[in-house]
Every structure is written in C-alpha cells, then in structure tokens.
Amino acid sequence: WEPPPPGKTTPWPAIVETARGKGKTVYLSFDLYGMVSRGFRWPLELHSRLLRSPPAAPPLRVEIDDRAGVGTTFYKRREKAELIVHQINRTVPLRNGEVTPIPGGRLILNPSYFRATACRQVFPSRRDLPLVRGAGSIEVQLPEVGIHSVVTLQS
C-alpha cells in the first residue's frame, strides 16, 4: 500500500462505474494521473484494467475483418418498427474509383433493443437474408459491399 488510506472509514466509494447511454463512465474520487506522475506503480495497473474491462454489451454491432474498409450506419425507424443498416465501401476512393467488393460482416443484435422477425437486402439487389437466433442475440450475415449496400430488418 503506497498512499495512506483516509484517516477514517468513509461512506463514499473510491471508484464508481455507471452505465451511460451506450457505454460506461468510471469516476475516481482521487487523482489517478497525479499519482502516476509521482511514481506510484499500482495506478498504472488500475488504468490498464479499466481500459480493458468490457463495456456494457452494445445493442447492435457488426463484426467484420476489414473495419477500415467498410463503414456502417444504423437507423431505427420507430414508426415502422424497422432498422436500416447502410454500409459503404471506403476503399473505392482510395482505388481511384475501382470497385472491389468487401464482405459486409456479421450483424449481431440484442433482442431487447430490436426483436427482428425478417431481414432483407434492398439495395443494390433485393433478397431475403436469414436470421439466426442464438442465446441472447439475433445474427445476420450481411452481403458483400460493392459501392454501398442497404439492409432492412422488420420487427
């Protein structure tokens, strides 16, 4: 133990972690970085563990190998109970307009956020895409992305 503890027991925690929106916040009631700059060793390990600790599970995400090559945007239309997934191929401008299709990856939905009952690619072609229901998730294999692709999910 390097710095002395408070002079007496307090009712307040030193660290508070709270879910906020789509992520989390961590409040430290002490100067973590000041302690690092003064040469204390344990704050570096604490900092590293805080950065590596997993945030709350996101409501939806795309697992993809070429994250830099494909951009994904989600739109939720409440009035139609619809989720729109728009993907663009970011490599087209880098290749002077040459289009090389890139795998769209795998969409993973938390059913408490959106309980999909059907999925369909609507651009550039029209076709139904199968939903795979797992333990606590709904997954869709997204199609290749030429210039861009639009997929809709209905609830």
Side-chain angles (χ1 to χ4, degrees):
W1 181 261
E2 294 166 8
K8 60 182 179 176
T9 302
T10 68
W12 303 286
I15 301 172
V16 177
E17 183 176 332
T18 308
R20 291 278 186 236
K22 297 177 184 173
K24 70 175 180 179
T25 60
V26 178
Y27 170 77
L28 305 173
S29 64
F30 56 92
D31 184 5
L32 176 72
Y33 301 108
M35 295 175 75
V36 169
S37 70
R38 288 192 305 271
F40 293 108
R41 289 183 224 126
W42 69 266
L44 287 174
E45 179 62 25
L46 174 63
H47 180 257
S48 177
R49 286 180 186 216
L50 288 172
L51 290 176
R52 287 190 315 245
S53 68
L60 67 165
R61 68 184 188 279
V62 173
E63 288 187 355
I64 191 166
D65 291 332
D66 190 357
R67 185 160 307 283
V70 176
T72 305
T73 305
F74 305 101
Y75 304 92
K76 189 174 183 184
R77 296 175 68 183
R78 288 180 182 88
E79 68 278 358
K80 285 190 168 186
E82 181 179 49
L83 182 67
I84 301 169
V85 181
H86 181 216
Q87 292 187 300
I88 61 168
N89 185 333
R90 292 181 177 156
T91 67
V92 174
L94 301 173
R95 295 182 175 155
N96 296 320
E98 180 185 329
V99 178
T100 303
I102 298 177
R106 186 169 47 115
L107 173 67
I108 303 169
L109 288 165
N110 182 330
S112 66
Y113 173 72
F114 191 85
R115 189 172 301 280
T117 57
C119 182
R120 181 168 181 77
Q121 181 182 25
V122 296
F123 190 86
S125 62
R126 292 184 167 275
R127 62 182 165 144
D128 292 331
L129 300 173
L131 296 171
V132 177
R133 298 182 192 288
S137 70
I138 300 170
E139 299 183 10
V140 176
Q141 186 62 47
L142 296 170
E144 279 190 333
V145 181
I147 295 174
H148 66 107
S149 172
V150 180
V151 170
T152 61
L153 294 99
Q154 285 71 41
S155 171

